[in-house]
Amino acid sequence: MELSNTTQYAIRMLSYIANSHGKLQNAKELSTILTIPYKFLTKILTQLVKSEFIISIRGREGGYKLAKPASEIMVLDILNQFGDIVKENQCILGIGTCDSENKCSLHDQWVIPKEMMIKMFAQTSLENLEGDEFKI
Amino acid sequence: MELSNTTQYAIRMLSYIANSHGKLQNAKELSTILTIPYKFLTKILTQLVKSEFIISIRGREGGYKLAKPASEIMVLDILNQFGDIVKENQCILGIGTCDSENKCSLHDQWVIPKEMMIKMFAQTSLENLEGDEFKI
DNA sequence: TCTTAATACTACCTTTTAGTAGTATTTAAT
DNA sequence: ATTAAATACTACTAAAAGGTAGTATTAAGA
Ligand code: SF4
Ligand code: SF4
């Protein structure tokens, strides 16, 4: 019941990149600042480039910056990209997919917190995560 | 952001055992009814015996039944037993532990759905999961 | 042009989770 | 007593997630 390391890292990286408002950030610095293993971090950054959350500038003086406004990148998009799914119709007990006609025993208790969580992830953008008062 | 297979299986097994109201259930039947691999299921059942959710009767005509009333086994207890933790003070972004003085950027958005989820798991007992209308 | 600092690619290793196999032990029924 | 049907134990294998290593490519700057 928690986000995967990869997803956590991705959110923190994107969050930090968003907070630098267009100034290029390079992998080496990101690695030391966020204390994420360098090689693992670059792997994730490349995925983030391919999935068009960020753009990369190669070569000396290169780095990464957001590919679109922070307000347009939702946390839910990040979760989805890394398969850390919070799908509407996914059974919390793993009994296939579900609808309210064919529900598992936890359905009635789970449906409200689930909706709440999904809604929160869907409505929260990187812009909402900005601020200097947070742990990074 | 989902329960591990083991936890899902454990909840379904316990739920089914609870629903048989004291009648012994054996592993072979549980395996076919719940479509959980036999050997994996018995491994989990043994853990459930050791952690005192159920008691086992060995030998021919043996099987499993709840060790205490269904109303006293909370879903949260099961999650905790299998390390599928929903800890109060665990950072959703994996930045150590947290308190409201030292928060991560998702804190303010996460705190409400998190509380809701924990509360739900803590208040839901196996008794609440009973009923014939559910997928098993 | 050469060096250097950056990203990209390919392949591998490690750890954790999921699942399997085989044997030993227990106990009711015959 | 013997058999059969059940749980318990030990050890292994497979797949997924997390992480590492080395090399290739790109481009600014001296
Ligand atoms: S809880 Fe209900 S909605 Fe959620 S998964 Fe189970 S059946 Fe589906
Ligand atoms: S969100 Fe807040 S409470 Fe939750 S973990 Fe991050 S800092 Fe802690």
Side-chain angles (χ1 to χ4, degrees):
Chain A
M1 218 56 198
E2 51 182 79
L3 299 174
S4 69
N5 280 7
T6 303
T7 303
Q8 292 179 342
Y9 289 160
I11 294 173
R12 290 172 57 212
M13 286 182 229
L14 287 172
S15 197
Y16 187 83
I17 291 169
N19 236 324
S20 25
H21 304 288
K23 177 169 171 286
L24 286 185
Q25 292 294 341
N26 68 62
K28 198 174 169 194
E29 277 190 31
L30 286 173
S31 171
T32 53
I33 291 169
L34 302 174
T35 57
I36 298 172
Y38 176 76
K39 283 291 193 178
F40 195 32
L41 174 132
T42 58
K43 187 188 252 179
I44 296 169
L45 281 170
T46 302
Q47 291 179 260
L48 290 173
V49 169
K50 286 190 175 157
S51 47
E52 298 179 317
F53 287 107
I54 56 181
I55 59 175
S56 65
I57 312 289
R58 295 183 66 164
R60 190 165 172 165
E61 306 290 295
Y64 304 90
K65 65 180 179 183
L66 289 192
K68 46 193 162 187
S71 60
E72 291 176 21
I73 298 178
M74 300 298 161
V75 175
L76 187 62
D77 300 333
I78 307 171
L79 301 204
N80 282 331
Q81 184 58 38
F82 291 94
D84 225 329
I85 33 169
V86 191
K87 287 219 196 91
E88 204 81 23
N89 67 337
Q90 185 192 0
C91 186
I92 189 179
L93 295 186
I95 316 175
T97 51
C98 63
D99 50 82
S100 45
E101 295 305 300
N102 189 25
K103 49 193 193 179
C104 71
S105 58
L106 250 181
H107 178 92
D108 293 342
Q109 289 81 5
W110 178 231
V111 68
I112 303 279
K114 177 174 74 168
E115 288 306 325
M116 203 146 179
M117 200 170 65
I118 293 176
K119 199 168 185 177
M120 183 278 281
F121 285 133
Q123 292 179 343
T124 303
S125 75
L126 291 183
E127 193 176 35
N128 300 130
L129 303 187
E130 281 179 35
D132 292 330
E133 71 273 31
F134 301 124
K135 293 188 288 190
I136 55 175
Chain B
M1 217 57 198
E2 50 184 78
L3 299 175
S4 70
N5 280 7
T6 303
T7 302
Q8 291 179 343
Y9 289 159
I11 294 173
R12 290 173 57 213
M13 287 181 228
L14 287 172
S15 198
Y16 187 82
I17 291 169
N19 235 326
S20 25
H21 304 289
K23 176 169 171 287
L24 286 185
Q25 293 293 341
N26 67 62
K28 199 175 168 194
E29 277 191 32
L30 286 172
S31 170
T32 54
I33 290 170
L34 302 174
T35 55
I36 298 171
Y38 177 76
K39 282 291 193 180
F40 196 32
L41 173 132
T42 58
K43 188 187 251 178
I44 297 170
L45 281 170
T46 301
Q47 291 178 260
L48 291 173
V49 170
K50 286 190 174 156
S51 46
E52 298 179 318
F53 288 107
I54 55 181
I55 58 175
S56 66
I57 312 287
R58 296 183 66 166
R60 190 165 172 163
E61 305 290 295
Y64 304 90
K65 65 179 179 184
L66 290 192
K68 46 194 163 187
S71 59
E72 292 175 21
I73 298 178
M74 300 299 160
V75 175
L76 187 62
D77 301 333
I78 306 170
L79 301 203
N80 282 330
Q81 185 57 37
F82 291 95
D84 225 329
I85 33 170
V86 191
K87 286 217 197 90
E88 204 80 24
N89 69 337
Q90 185 192 1
C91 186
I92 190 178
L93 295 185
I95 317 174
T97 50
C98 62
D99 50 82
S100 45
E101 294 305 300
N102 188 26
K103 47 193 194 179
C104 72
S105 58
L106 250 181
H107 178 91
D108 294 340
Q109 289 82 5
W110 177 232
V111 67
I112 302 280
K114 177 174 72 170
E115 289 306 326
M116 206 149 175
M117 201 171 65
I118 294 176
K119 200 169 184 177
M120 183 278 281
F121 285 133
Q123 291 179 344
T124 303
S125 75
L126 290 183
E127 191 176 36
N128 300 129
L129 303 188
E130 281 180 35
D132 291 331
E133 71 274 31
F134 302 124
K135 293 187 287 190
I136 55 176

